[in-house]
Amino acid sequence: AKGGTLTIMASGAEAVFARAKHALSALGDKLFHVGPEPGQGAAVKTVNQLLCGVHIAVAAEAFALAEKAGIDGKLALEILGGSAAGSWMLNNRGPRMFEDEPMVASAVDIFVKDLGIVADAGRASKTPLPIAAAALQMFLTASAMGLGAKDDSQVIEAYRHMAGLKKS
C-alpha cells in the first residue's frame, strides 16, 4: 500500500480473471491482470521488492558518501529529493535515515526476506541480479549489526559503520 492505495497484481486465465475482477477490486484501487500463468502476479511483486530494496540501499549509500564528505545528510536529502535523483522511496525513507528511532514502517529483516526471494527468483530463472545481491548483503549486514527489527531505513547504519561514520 502506498499513500492509502493498494495495487493488486493477479494472474490466471482471462475468463477466470474477468469473473474475479469485482471481488479483487474490493481489495485495492489498482487492479492489474499481468498474465495467464500462475505466479506472474507474484513475479511482479518480486520485481517491485527488488526496486524498493535497491532504492533504499542506494539512498543509504549516497547519504553515507555525502556525510563522509562533510555534507549534512538532511540538506543532501532536501536537495536530492527535489532533483532528478528523487524518488518516492528516497523521499519516504530518506527522512527516517536521520531520525534516532524512526517508526518502523517495514523492518530491515523484511528486506532480508524479500531480497532473498528476489535472489531465489533470479537463480531459478537464471537471471543475474548483481545490484539486488549487493542490496541484500547490505540488509544482511544491518541485520547482523542487531538492526533487524528496526525500520528498513536503518540500513544506513551498515554504510555508516563501513565508512567509519557515527550516526548523525
Side-chain angles (χ1 to χ4, degrees):
K2 289 184 173 62
T5 65
L6 186 62
T7 302
I8 306 296
M9 300 148 301
S11 62
E14 186 68 45
V16 174
F17 178 79
R19 286 194 307 272
K21 190 172 184 175
H22 180 72
L24 291 171
S25 293
L27 300 173
D29 64 334
K30 295 179 185 173
L31 176 59
F32 296 93
H33 181 239
V34 298
E37 300 298 321
Q40 287 177 309
V44 174
K45 174 66 174 170
T46 298
V47 171
N48 181 78
Q49 292 311 98
L50 181 158
L51 286 167
C52 289
V54 167
H55 279 164
I56 295 167
V58 77
E61 183 172 295
F63 292 135
L65 178 61
E67 290 174 6
K68 191 72 176 190
I71 299 163
D72 177 72
K74 291 178 186 176
L75 177 60
L77 173 61
E78 182 179 347
I79 295 165
L80 300 171
S83 76
S87 69
W88 186 93
M89 198 57 87
L90 176 71
N91 290 315
N92 182 272
R93 296 311 201 273
R96 296 200 303 260
M97 291 182 186
F98 304 104
E99 295 177 16
D100 289 332
E101 289 292 328
M103 175 194 78
V104 178
S106 177
V108 164
D109 280 347
I110 296 295
F111 271 100
V112 169
K113 173 190 68 74
D114 286 352
L115 288 170
I117 291 169
V118 168
D120 290 344
R123 187 172 30 260
S125 66
K126 294 185 174 32
T127 303
L129 304 172
I131 297 171
L136 172 57
Q137 292 304 308
M138 294 311 299
F139 280 99
L140 281 168
T141 300
S143 185
M145 292 172 61
L147 302 171
K150 300 286 186 182
D151 186 68
D152 55 26
S153 64
Q154 296 309 289
V155 71
I156 193 169
E157 293 306 320
Y159 286 97
R160 285 177 175 145
H161 176 76
M162 292 185 338
L165 294 165
K166 298 277 188 203
K167 188 173 182 176
S168 57

